[in-house]
């Protein structure tokens, strides 16, 4: 069984000329630290694993099997922000535990993990305590010998200091104070993010070509092809990086992974003058499938929260019958097995095949002649083409009488607004403020149309809930009342749309987007 620990630490390095390294500065002068306790020396033996092309190292992940010390076992570390990592631990065993292997599947896939470097460390540990003897942080002086395990690799040694906040302590001012004292003593922050990163660099048999290096090939800088490919690769990378987050059930991870699939699929369509749709359309269909699978749980979560908010806003006198209980039963019935289904999708051959196809496509992209042209010649036209597509759908929807056909037309307009927004957001780094402002206008349209569509979905659910309540002998009054509220919301959004659309379609904004 794996468990997770949040690491908040700073690393510092010594040089061989520092003959008095073990004489640390007086850290009791750091605010909050009143005592330092020597905990002795422990000897650690860790073997680090990676793919032959070092995919984990390319994404700043580390996987090790370590013996010695109080936390012997398998450790998998994911970067969170600078100096902060999530360490997922599993008991010591001969083989990589399945729970950790699953978290690496989006990167390793059908490949293999091999031992790439061994670190033998002598760790001199000190505890930094508060005046009530609370452990604030652990400081360790590590004398490290790194032995490369790949053919032709060498070995190296170094000494470094690690200062890590204790469990339950998240006050980084302690680390700031320690760093200030160490810097004054001539001890500098490490230039490597981790020991294994340094070890791989210094024991490498030859200059390494990592997974990230492979992303830096393609059209010349400043061309439409270079920009679009950079965006496509970023969305592919987001899907891969979010896979373990979804498996760990981290907040908003499913939603963000779904957004990345949609952005990728949308870009294939928006920038079809750059990347050939004959090659991307089949991939787009697989991305559509993945987004739909990820949306099963997410859509239900959003709908339930919408209905719960509506119920909470009602006076108690208008809650007739076991309304909250009925909603809970309905929700549980619809969500049963959705978590297992999501994980099964991520473990399935179809998903892994999609990741492989994306890698192949982006390694040798089917570029069209427009890919060699400057971004200013290609990107604005692509964005405005999506805008014109949206304009046609909005015009069609507003020309229909209220009812089912208009609801369908507004939903199609919503999807077009999202595509226009994504296209503008993708172009914004190259086109600057006009594209960013354009994207915000498209998002405003999308929000109005999105709330309208959510109301349509909510009304379908409320009809079902009312029918279930009636069949169980409960009052359906509250469900009918909520239905009326959602109907009013939809009507209000329909009235707002012309004004929001008028702001979004401002001619000057269009002119600025296409200005040389």
């Amino acid at each position: 069984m794996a468990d997770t620990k949040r690491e908040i630490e700073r690393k510092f390095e010594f040089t061989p000329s520092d003959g008095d390294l073990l004489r640390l500065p007086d850290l009791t002068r750091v605010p909050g630290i009143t005592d330092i306790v020597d905990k002795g020396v422990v000897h650690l033996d860790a073997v680090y694993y990676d793919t032959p092309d070092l995919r984990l190292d390319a994404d700043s992940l580390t996987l090790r099997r370590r013996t010695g010390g109080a936390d012997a076992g398998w450790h998998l570390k994911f970067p969170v922000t600078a100096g902060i990592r999530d360490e997922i631990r599993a008991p010591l065993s001969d083989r990589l535990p399945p729970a950790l292997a699953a978290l690496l599947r989006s990167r390793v896939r059908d490949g293999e993990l091999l031992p790439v470097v061994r670190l033998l460390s002598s760790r001199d540990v000190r505890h930094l305590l508060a005046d009530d003897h609370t452990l604030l942080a652990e400081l360790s002086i590590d004398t490290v010998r790194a032995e490369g395990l790949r053919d032709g690799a060498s070995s190296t040694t170094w000494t470094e200091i690690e200062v890590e906040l204790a469990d339950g302590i998240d006050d980084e001012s302690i680390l700031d104070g320690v760093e200030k004292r160490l810097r004054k003593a001539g001890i500098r922050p490490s230039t490597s993010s981790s020991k294994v990163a340094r070890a791989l660099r210094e024991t490498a048999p030859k200059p390494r070509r990592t997974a990230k290096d492979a992303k830096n090939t393609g059209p010349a800088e400043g061309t439409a092809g270079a920009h679009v490919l950079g965006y496509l690769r970023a969305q592919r990378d987001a899907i891969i990086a979010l896979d373990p987050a979804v498996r760990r059930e981290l907040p908003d991870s499913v939603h963000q992974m779904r957004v990345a699939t949609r952005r990728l699929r949308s870009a294939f369509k928006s920038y079809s003058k750059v990347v050939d749709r004959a090659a991307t359309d089949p991939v787009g269909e697989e991305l559509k499938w993945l987004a739909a699978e990820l949306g099963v749980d997410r859509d239900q979560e959003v709908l339930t929260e919408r209905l719960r908010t509506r119920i909470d806003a009602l006076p108690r006198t208008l809650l007739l019958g076991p309304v909250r209980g009925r909603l809970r039963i309905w929700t549980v019935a619809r969500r049963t097995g959705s978590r297992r289904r999501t994980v099964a999708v991520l473990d399935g051959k179809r998903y892994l095949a999609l990741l492989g196809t994306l890698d192949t496509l982006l390694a040798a992209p089917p570029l069209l002649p427009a890919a060699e042209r400057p971004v200013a010649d290609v990107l604005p036209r692509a964005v405005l083409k999506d805008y014109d597509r949206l304009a046609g759908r909005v015009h069609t929807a507003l020309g229909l009488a209220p009812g089912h056909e208009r609801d369908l037309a507004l939903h199609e307009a919503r999807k077009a607004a999202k595509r226009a927004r994504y296209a503008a957001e993708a172009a914004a780094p190259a086109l600057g403020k006009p594209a960013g402002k354009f994207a915000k206008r498209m998002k405003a349209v999308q929000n109005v149309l999105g709330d309208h569509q959510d109301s349509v979905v909510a009304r379908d659910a409320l009809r079902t809930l009312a029918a279930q309540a009636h069949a169980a002998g409960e009052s359906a009054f509250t469900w009918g009342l909520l239905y009326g509220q959602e109907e009013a919301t939809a009507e209000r959004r329909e009235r707002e749309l012309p004004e929001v659309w008028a702001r979004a379609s401002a001619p000057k904004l269009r002119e600025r987007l296409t200005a040389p």
Side-chain angles (χ1 to χ4, degrees):
M1 189 69 180
D3 61 271
T4 302
K5 177 181 182 297
R6 174 64 56 90
E7 280 188 346
I8 306 176
E9 65 180 11
R10 307 274 173 90
K11 294 179 181 292
F12 305 86
E13 59 188 29
F14 301 141
T15 61
S17 62
D18 293 324
D20 59 345
L21 290 178
L22 295 181
R23 291 197 293 273
L24 294 170
D26 182 6
L27 297 180
T28 60
R29 296 180 62 183
V30 174
I33 299 175
T34 60
D35 195 14
I36 301 175
V37 177
D38 192 335
K39 303 299 289 186
V41 177
V42 295
H43 299 283
L44 308 173
D45 186 346
V47 175
Y48 288 78
Y49 291 77
D50 207 331
T51 59
D53 58 352
L54 303 180
R55 296 175 204 170
L56 304 189
D57 178 55
D59 287 336
S60 300
L61 272 66
T62 62
L63 172 67
R64 72 185 176 205
R65 181 185 183 275
R66 188 164 77 181
T67 57
D71 62 346
W74 288 90
H75 304 154
L76 173 59
K77 298 187 181 186
F78 288 93
V80 178
T81 59
I84 301 178
R85 295 187 293 179
D86 279 346
E87 180 180 89
I88 304 170
R89 301 176 175 177
L92 192 63
S93 61
D94 292 336
R95 299 172 64 91
L96 177 64
L100 300 191
L103 296 176
L104 294 171
R105 188 161 288 125
S106 65
R107 291 175 170 88
V108 178
R109 301 172 205 170
D110 294 327
E112 58 180 341
L113 288 165
L114 303 172
V116 293
V117 71
R118 182 186 185 189
L119 299 186
L120 301 169
S121 303
S122 176
R123 171 164 290 182
D124 190 353
V125 180
R126 291 156 171 78
H127 282 181
L128 311 183
L129 306 179
D131 56 5
D132 62 355
H133 303 294
T134 297
L135 177 61
L136 298 176
E138 180 176 284
L139 181 147
S140 63
I141 302 173
D142 292 349
T143 302
V144 183
R145 176 177 173 80
E147 300 174 350
L149 301 179
R150 295 173 292 160
D151 290 343
S154 59
S155 62
T156 187
T157 60
W158 72 87
T159 303
E160 71 177 36
I161 283 179
E162 286 187 8
V163 188
E164 180 180 345
L165 291 181
D167 293 348
I169 305 295
D170 58 6
D171 183 2
E172 291 196 55
S173 67
I174 296 169
L175 297 181
D176 293 338
V178 171
E179 178 173 342
K180 183 177 180 180
R181 295 293 301 165
L182 293 177
R183 281 179 176 270
K184 285 185 176 180
I187 301 168
R188 300 302 178 202
S190 175
T191 56
S192 295
S193 59
S194 65
K195 286 186 178 67
V196 67
R198 178 172 181 171
L200 287 171
R201 183 178 71 244
E202 295 187 6
T203 68
K206 57 183 178 181
R208 296 185 293 113
R209 181 177 177 81
T210 68
K212 283 188 176 178
D213 292 331
K215 301 171 190 176
N216 296 327
T217 61
E221 191 70 25
T223 62
H227 184 85
V228 171
L229 285 176
Y231 179 81
L232 295 175
R233 286 166 177 155
Q235 303 314 311
R236 182 273 312 274
D237 292 349
I239 294 172
I240 292 170
L242 285 162
D243 176 300
V246 170
R247 295 173 187 273
R248 295 169 60 198
E249 299 185 72
L250 296 185
D252 207 37
S253 57
V254 172
H255 173 62
Q256 292 302 323
M257 188 174 183
R258 192 183 186 193
V259 167
T261 65
R262 286 174 164 172
R263 288 182 184 275
L264 190 53
R265 179 168 174 255
S266 181
F268 284 152
K269 295 179 179 179
S270 296
Y271 296 105
S272 59
K273 296 293 185 182
V274 176
V275 185
D276 191 354
R277 284 191 63 173
T280 62
D281 276 357
V283 185
E285 286 302 307
E286 290 301 283
L287 289 167
K288 181 180 180 180
W289 159 78
L290 178 58
E293 291 289 349
L294 293 170
V296 171
D297 195 28
R298 170 68 180 176
D299 289 346
Q300 181 61 33
E301 178 184 343
V302 171
L303 177 56
T304 298
E305 183 58 31
R306 185 182 182 96
L307 298 181
R308 185 180 293 120
T309 300
R310 291 282 195 198
I311 291 170
D312 290 344
L314 289 176
R316 293 182 63 183
T317 54
L318 298 180
L319 297 177
L320 303 187
V323 176
R324 288 190 174 87
R326 172 60 54 193
L327 178 62
R328 186 164 51 251
I329 292 170
W330 177 79
T331 299
V332 170
R334 288 170 62 92
R335 293 190 66 179
T336 298
S338 60
R339 164 68 185 166
R340 291 193 298 273
R341 176 174 174 173
T342 298
V343 173
V345 167
L346 299 184
D347 284 339
K349 292 182 179 179
R350 185 174 181 179
Y351 167 69
L352 294 181
L354 170 58
L355 296 183
T357 300
L358 284 171
D359 284 348
T360 301
L361 179 75
L362 296 177
L367 297 176
L368 297 174
E372 298 298 327
R373 294 166 58 190
V375 291
D377 290 350
V378 179
L379 270 57
R381 295 182 183 181
V383 173
L384 291 174
K385 182 179 179 181
D386 280 345
Y387 167 81
D388 290 338
R389 176 172 171 269
L390 168 61
R393 293 193 178 186
V394 170
H395 179 76
T396 297
L398 292 177
L400 296 172
H404 179 65
E405 291 302 319
R406 191 182 209 192
D407 288 345
L408 292 177
L410 289 170
H411 182 43
E412 291 302 309
R414 176 200 185 188
K415 292 189 286 187
K418 185 179 294 186
R419 177 165 149 185
R421 170 197 163 192
Y422 286 165
E425 288 175 345
L431 302 182
K433 289 183 179 180
K437 190 171 183 179
F438 191 92
K440 289 180 180 179
R441 298 284 180 89
M442 295 303 101
K443 185 176 181 179
V445 176
Q446 178 191 331
N447 288 342
V448 170
L449 294 169
D451 196 31
H452 181 277
Q453 176 60 20
D454 289 347
S455 178
V456 172
V457 174
R459 277 179 278 160
D460 284 340
L462 288 166
R463 278 194 296 268
T464 299
L465 285 160
Q468 291 177 352
H470 179 74
E474 303 163 6
S475 172
F477 170 83
T478 302
W479 304 114
L481 179 62
L482 295 176
Y483 185 98
Q485 288 184 349
E486 289 291 357
E487 199 168 43
T489 295
E491 292 173 356
R492 185 169 61 253
R493 288 306 200 182
E494 288 181 34
R495 290 194 302 271
E496 291 174 4
L497 179 59
E499 181 180 348
V500 174
W501 175 245
R503 290 197 298 269
S505 56
K508 288 185 178 180
L509 190 61
R510 185 185 182 102
E511 291 171 7
R512 284 196 292 270
L513 188 63
T514 56

